[in-house]
Amino acid sequence: MKLLAAPARLSTVSATFEQDFAARLHWSAEQDAAIEQRVADILAQVAERGDAAVLEYTARFDRLQAASVAELELTQAELQAAHDGLSAAQREALTAAARRVRSYHEAQKKACGQSWSYRDEDGTLLGQKVTPLDRVGIYVPGGKAAYPSSVLMNAIPAQVAGVPEIIMMVPTPGGDKNPLVLAAAYLAGVTRGFTIGGAQAVAALAHGTATVPKVDKITGPGNAYVASAKKRVFGQVGIDMIAGPSEILVLADGSTPPDWVAMDLFSQAEHDELAQAILLCPDAAYIDQVAQAMNRLLPELPRAEIIAKSLSGRGALIHTRSMEEACEISNRIAPEHLEISSSEPHRWEPLLRHAGAIFLGAFTTESLGDYCAGPNHVLPTSGTARFSSPLGVYDFQKRTSLIEVSEQGAQTLGRTASVLARGEGLQAHARAAELRLKP
Amino acid sequence: MKLLAAPARLSTVSATFEQDFAARLHWSAEQDAAIEQRVADILAQVAERGDAAVLEYTARFDRLQAASVAELELTQAELQAAHDGLSAAQREALTAAARRVRSYHEAQKKACGQSWSYRDEDGTLLGQKVTPLDRVGIYVPGGKAAYPSSVLMNAIPAQVAGVPEIIMMVPTPGGDKNPLVLAAAYLAGVTRGFTIGGAQAVAALAHGTATVPKVDKITGPGNAYVASAKKRVFGQVGIDMIAGPSEILVLADGSTPPDWVAMDLFSQAEHDELAQAILLCPDAAYIDQVAQAMNRLLPELPRAEIIAKSLSGRGALIHTRSMEEACEISNRIAPEHLEISSSEPHRWEPLLRHAGAIFLGAFTTESLGDYCAGPNHVLPTSGTARFSSPLGVYDFQKRTSLIEVSEQGAQTLGRTASVLARGEGLQAHARAAELRLKP
């Protein structure tokens, strides 16, 4: 049977558009009670029994026997050997990607990750100092979704932030190590690595064990167990975000070759059957061309079945009244990846308020951003771009407010604080301010 | 019976210091299963039945009957009337505080909340645009801990960020409204307010009801129900942080009048019996003077009982070998509020890596920062300053990465992306990049 790319065809002029659109967008993170309970148990066991519990879970879930957690540690020599053993093409590509990702995050640190302060008219110093976290853990999925690019995207911003210790956790089911992942860890400056995965890896990082050091923050994507564990330790340690399925939204004015747009939609759909690929376009004839291109190009792809399922389940080609309306709909979706596949990308960009990353113009296929353009590929999914941001240097820094009040400043500020503190019934606050007043 | 201030007396030279210190610091957020279940029910009910459920819970928990949620809305006229009805001293103090808080957060936005971009040598545009959230909810505790200053500290950064809609939720048990809270909402630019509290307020903001609009992020402190509800909706909406009891750490070199330090310690201890006040000082005689001052000053304070309980349960006066050692211990605690009560505050500040806010010099009592110095008083507690930051303009903004690759840039980037995508087994990603290569 020939595979078909069968995304839903919607039109904003249709009377049923709102309900069709809502049905396509609907997705909710499964809150599987059974998973939650098992994760709670794993966290409790690792907190209580440390290394011994980690070894048991690793043997059970990853079929990997070890006499000690130290045996699960990846040595720097092993990381370097993986790097040196790559083909020249792979080594060069990985090195080029790491260099660009580092250079972008250095610019980011310069733009928004610097300490700042000023003195007001009373001589009061106010500001914030920005400092790196002491130690972070990055989780790297293993098995079928082992992405070396994710190692770069998590470790490099931490390194640029100045985090002295970066601990990588990567499951290696059956002991099978991915050389590209190890090589990426070498290039990205991972300090220590362990072949531990799942909720037990998150637990070890959050609580610390005799062998695995406790970290201050855990970043990186993972399966439902990892996501549940991260959510559960949130507060004891920092976490980045809880990622949902990947999404792409293409805003097209009809000026890009239809094959390009079709392949861009596929490049999200191939991640996962739950991934979402949406095209918004005011040109019905162009939408037909993209649909034809999809059916022509689909069979040549190894992951055609996943793509077909993703598109028929969650994909959509949406005919809009105008590019302006397309922008409004995009804002309602707040997509993870947003391509403006237009000859005038800068005309539409200012209208787009919510997205993880915006790719401007026909040459900026999302795939370049995923690997090597420089910006981070860890982006808010499932509409969370309404309130959250790409992973960045700022996720590996924290801010401390600085306040230095002069004797003179304490006179005016003290009177204000005293009135307000008494209004709140906090007399010790008031008295502390009043003690600094000159008689 | 005369109340005594009886913090633990520790010394770093003691053989039992490490265990005594660990015992004092120990605090863990209660994970009360009964509260969690009730909160889960409230969230589910409000998600399902909207306004009707909100009205029922408000009647039950806040003894406040209303025929509709619209009746629970605070009008702008009511907020303004509360402001106009304050005493001149209170109105001026609140206005002065709001002005300084706004001016600090404007400086913060300028320093670290601006969009940025650059073009690399290939002509590729890279950067991030920074935009405000569309709509946020701020939770303001009612009843015994109703703090108008918290209204300013939550709403003003949102307003400075450019958030167009700020929805305030404040419980008013028995219908009792706090005029200072309402006046602060007026000054801080709150768009809409409702007298709804508890988990039902968080639920209404996170899910939206017929009357309460769904928001993108919820900030502000609350009791165990509010904290549990915030943690549960985290991911559907953004949240700020889960706050624990308040803390102060004073690093003293003995140059500040002992009464001042004693009162500063009290000003945290008076918040809550679980609040923590710690003094670190290398001068044993000075510690004695502070202890004497505490016992002398305690009886004159209305909240003396709370202070005494907080100090005896969690307070500590710690004699250190040196100021350097005091700084190291402070870093292990990562306190919410850190006073450098020293004649040389700038000598010690660079040694302090983790704190919510640092108050430099004897005149900078924490109380000035709580009310009116300008920086935010919503700060990371319970050691979370290791990885998190004061509430700020950045909490009400999000970032969108921008990438525009030129045709020329697509040639080099495309080759790199193609190699890496094939290494990850993602052929559609590879093909999308390859389609942009010139033949």
Side-chain angles (χ1 to χ4, degrees):
Chain A
M1 196 187 77
K2 189 164 176 281
L3 269 175
L4 281 180
R9 294 287 289 260
L10 308 182
S11 167
T12 56
V13 299
S14 155
T16 60
F17 174 71
E18 283 298 328
Q19 74 200 62
D20 299 342
F21 178 66
R24 275 282 113 171
L25 277 190
H26 181 74
W27 180 81
S28 64
E30 77 221 67
Q31 295 258 18
D32 185 316
I35 290 181
E36 287 198 14
Q37 188 52 55
R38 264 178 287 171
V39 166
D41 292 344
I42 293 171
L43 286 170
Q45 285 292 316
V46 173
E48 197 185 312
R49 299 194 296 120
D51 282 350
V54 170
L55 286 173
E56 285 168 27
Y57 291 121
T58 302
R60 193 189 314 167
F61 299 131
D62 288 336
R63 308 177 315 280
L64 186 58
Q65 304 286 343
S68 70
V69 172
E71 278 183 25
L72 299 176
E73 184 158 2
L74 294 158
T75 63
Q76 286 294 329
E78 196 172 356
L79 303 185
Q80 185 173 356
H83 168 262
D84 297 347
L86 294 182
S87 72
Q90 284 194 326
R91 199 169 52 238
E92 280 158 25
L94 208 55
T95 304
R99 194 180 58 236
R100 286 194 65 98
V101 171
R102 181 167 287 121
S103 142
Y104 174 83
H105 287 87
E106 278 163 359
Q108 185 179 65
K109 183 182 180 185
K110 210 167 151 187
C112 61
Q114 302 296 317
S115 301
W116 56 277
S117 65
Y118 64 99
R119 284 195 187 270
D120 70 13
E121 60 284 1
D122 285 340
T124 296
L125 171 88
L126 299 170
Q128 285 192 316
K129 78 167 167 178
V130 179
T131 45
L133 275 60
D134 281 351
R135 191 189 288 136
V136 302
I138 66 172
Y139 187 89
V140 178
K144 63 174 177 169
Y147 296 146
S149 55
S150 292
V151 179
L152 303 184
M153 295 293 180
N154 279 274
I156 290 175
Q159 200 194 31
V160 170
V163 175
E165 288 185 65
I166 303 169
I167 317 292
M168 178 177 83
M169 291 287 183
V170 57
T172 52
D176 210 4
K177 294 171 189 170
N178 180 325
L180 276 163
V181 165
L182 272 50
Y186 173 74
L187 285 172
V190 163
T191 325
R192 295 177 72 181
F194 294 90
T195 58
I196 303 171
Q200 59 275 19
V202 174
L205 291 170
H207 297 297
T209 71
T211 312
V212 178
K214 179 174 169 17
V215 302
D216 298 311
K217 186 162 186 170
I218 301 172
T219 69
N223 63 18
Y225 289 85
V226 172
S228 170
K230 279 172 65 182
K231 193 162 177 178
R232 205 166 267 273
V233 300
F234 166 60
Q236 297 164 50
V237 298
I239 65 169
D240 53 343
M241 56 183 96
I242 307 293
S246 198
E247 310 144 12
I248 188 171
L249 189 147
V250 180
L251 264 172
D253 63 5
S255 62
T256 305
D259 282 18
W260 296 16
V261 168
M263 196 59 78
D264 291 357
L265 294 168
F266 286 172
S267 74
Q268 261 336 279
E270 78 173 335
H271 271 295
D272 184 343
E273 290 166 12
L274 287 174
Q276 183 156 56
I278 292 178
L279 173 67
L280 288 169
C281 176
D283 179 343
Y286 182 78
I287 294 180
D288 287 338
Q289 290 173 357
V290 172
Q292 286 155 19
M294 290 173 107
N295 279 321
R296 180 165 37 78
L297 294 168
L298 184 64
E300 66 183 70
L301 291 167
R303 295 168 77 90
E305 276 193 46
I306 294 172
I307 295 172
K309 279 193 189 150
S310 154
L311 290 174
S312 63
R314 305 201 69 223
L317 309 180
I318 305 179
H319 182 217
T320 60
R321 291 180 179 86
S322 62
M323 282 294 281
E324 285 81 358
E325 188 187 48
C327 291
E328 280 166 39
I329 292 174
S330 174
N331 284 330
R332 288 169 62 185
I333 297 173
E336 182 190 13
H337 303 96
L338 170 49
E339 286 189 4
I340 314 180
S341 211
S342 158
S343 54
E344 307 170 291
H346 290 279
R347 177 171 169 198
W348 310 117
E349 183 275 311
L351 304 187
L352 297 161
R353 292 201 314 284
H354 310 305
I358 299 180
F359 301 79
L360 295 101
F363 282 98
T364 316
T365 174
E366 186 228 297
S367 162
L368 302 181
D370 282 348
Y371 290 107
C372 55
N376 211 289
H377 79 194
V378 181
L379 298 169
T381 58
S382 315
T384 59
R386 288 179 291 111
F387 55 84
S388 55
S389 302
L391 191 69
V393 169
Y394 35 78
D395 286 297
F396 299 101
Q397 297 176 318
K398 36 39 179 210
R399 298 169 182 280
T400 299
S401 299
L402 296 177
I403 314 177
E404 182 179 27
V405 179
S406 62
E407 182 171 3
Q408 188 193 335
Q411 308 309 308
T412 43
L413 291 178
R415 288 188 174 81
T416 300
S418 165
V419 171
L420 294 174
R422 289 181 185 275
E424 294 185 352
L426 296 175
Q427 271 76 0
H429 282 70
R431 295 275 293 123
E434 291 157 10
L435 283 172
R436 271 78 174 183
L437 297 179
K438 283 184 216 165
Chain B
M1 196 189 78
K2 187 163 176 285
L3 269 175
L4 282 179
R9 294 287 291 259
L10 308 182
S11 167
T12 56
V13 300
S14 153
T16 61
F17 174 72
E18 283 297 329
Q19 74 201 62
D20 299 342
F21 178 67
R24 277 281 112 171
L25 277 191
H26 181 75
W27 179 81
S28 65
E30 80 222 66
Q31 295 256 19
D32 184 316
I35 290 181
E36 287 199 12
Q37 188 52 56
R38 265 178 287 171
V39 166
D41 292 344
I42 293 170
L43 287 170
Q45 286 292 316
V46 173
E48 197 185 314
R49 299 193 297 118
D51 282 349
V54 170
L55 286 173
E56 285 169 24
Y57 290 121
T58 302
R60 193 190 313 169
F61 299 130
D62 288 337
R63 309 176 314 283
L64 186 58
Q65 303 286 343
S68 70
V69 172
E71 278 183 27
L72 299 176
E73 185 158 2
L74 294 158
T75 63
Q76 286 293 328
E78 195 171 358
L79 303 184
Q80 186 174 355
H83 168 262
D84 297 348
L86 294 181
S87 72
Q90 284 194 326
R91 200 169 52 239
E92 281 158 24
L94 208 55
T95 304
R99 195 181 56 237
R100 287 194 63 100
V101 171
R102 182 167 287 119
S103 142
Y104 174 83
H105 286 86
E106 278 163 358
Q108 186 179 64
K109 184 182 179 183
K110 210 168 150 188
C112 61
Q114 302 297 316
S115 301
W116 55 277
S117 66
Y118 64 99
R119 283 196 187 268
D120 70 11
E121 59 284 3
D122 284 340
T124 297
L125 172 89
L126 299 170
Q128 285 193 315
K129 77 167 167 178
V130 179
T131 45
L133 274 59
D134 280 352
R135 192 191 285 137
V136 302
I138 66 171
Y139 187 89
V140 178
K144 64 172 179 171
Y147 296 146
S149 55
S150 292
V151 179
L152 304 184
M153 295 295 181
N154 279 272
I156 290 176
Q159 200 193 29
V160 170
V163 176
E165 288 186 65
I166 303 170
I167 317 292
M168 178 177 83
M169 291 289 183
V170 57
T172 54
D176 210 5
K177 293 171 189 170
N178 181 325
L180 276 163
V181 165
L182 272 50
Y186 173 74
L187 284 171
V190 164
T191 326
R192 296 176 72 181
F194 294 90
T195 59
I196 303 170
Q200 59 274 21
V202 174
L205 291 170
H207 297 297
T209 71
T211 313
V212 178
K214 179 175 166 22
V215 301
D216 298 311
K217 186 162 185 168
I218 301 172
T219 70
N223 62 18
Y225 289 85
V226 172
S228 169
K230 279 171 66 182
K231 192 162 178 179
R232 205 166 267 271
V233 300
F234 166 62
Q236 296 165 52
V237 299
I239 65 169
D240 53 342
M241 56 183 95
I242 306 294
S246 199
E247 311 144 12
I248 188 171
L249 189 147
V250 181
L251 264 173
D253 64 4
S255 61
T256 306
D259 282 18
W260 296 15
V261 167
M263 197 57 78
D264 290 358
L265 294 167
F266 287 172
S267 75
Q268 260 337 277
E270 77 172 338
H271 270 296
D272 182 343
E273 291 167 10
L274 288 174
Q276 183 156 55
I278 293 178
L279 173 67
L280 288 168
C281 176
D283 179 342
Y286 183 78
I287 294 178
D288 287 339
Q289 291 173 357
V290 172
Q292 286 156 19
M294 289 174 109
N295 279 322
R296 180 165 37 77
L297 296 168
L298 184 65
E300 66 183 70
L301 291 167
R303 297 169 76 91
E305 276 194 45
I306 293 171
I307 295 172
K309 280 194 188 149
S310 154
L311 290 173
S312 64
R314 305 200 68 223
L317 308 180
I318 305 178
H319 181 215
T320 60
R321 292 180 179 86
S322 63
M323 282 294 281
E324 285 81 358
E325 188 188 47
C327 292
E328 280 166 37
I329 292 173
S330 175
N331 284 330
R332 289 170 60 186
I333 296 173
E336 182 189 12
H337 303 97
L338 170 50
E339 285 189 6
I340 313 180
S341 212
S342 158
S343 55
E344 307 170 290
H346 290 280
R347 177 170 168 198
W348 310 118
E349 183 274 313
L351 304 186
L352 297 161
R353 290 202 315 282
H354 310 306
I358 298 181
F359 301 80
L360 295 102
F363 282 97
T364 316
T365 173
E366 184 227 300
S367 163
L368 303 181
D370 283 347
Y371 290 108
C372 55
N376 212 289
H377 79 194
V378 181
L379 299 169
T381 59
S382 314
T384 58
R386 287 179 292 112
F387 56 83
S388 55
S389 302
L391 191 69
V393 170
Y394 34 77
D395 286 297
F396 299 101
Q397 296 177 317
K398 42 27 183 217
R399 298 170 183 279
T400 299
S401 299
L402 297 177
I403 313 175
E404 182 179 28
V405 179
S406 62
E407 182 172 2
Q408 190 194 333
Q411 308 310 307
T412 42
L413 291 177
R415 288 189 173 81
T416 300
S418 164
V419 171
L420 294 173
R422 289 181 184 274
E424 294 185 353
L426 296 176
Q427 271 77 0
H429 283 70
R431 295 274 293 122
E434 291 158 10
L435 284 172
R436 271 78 173 182
L437 298 178
K438 284 185 220 169

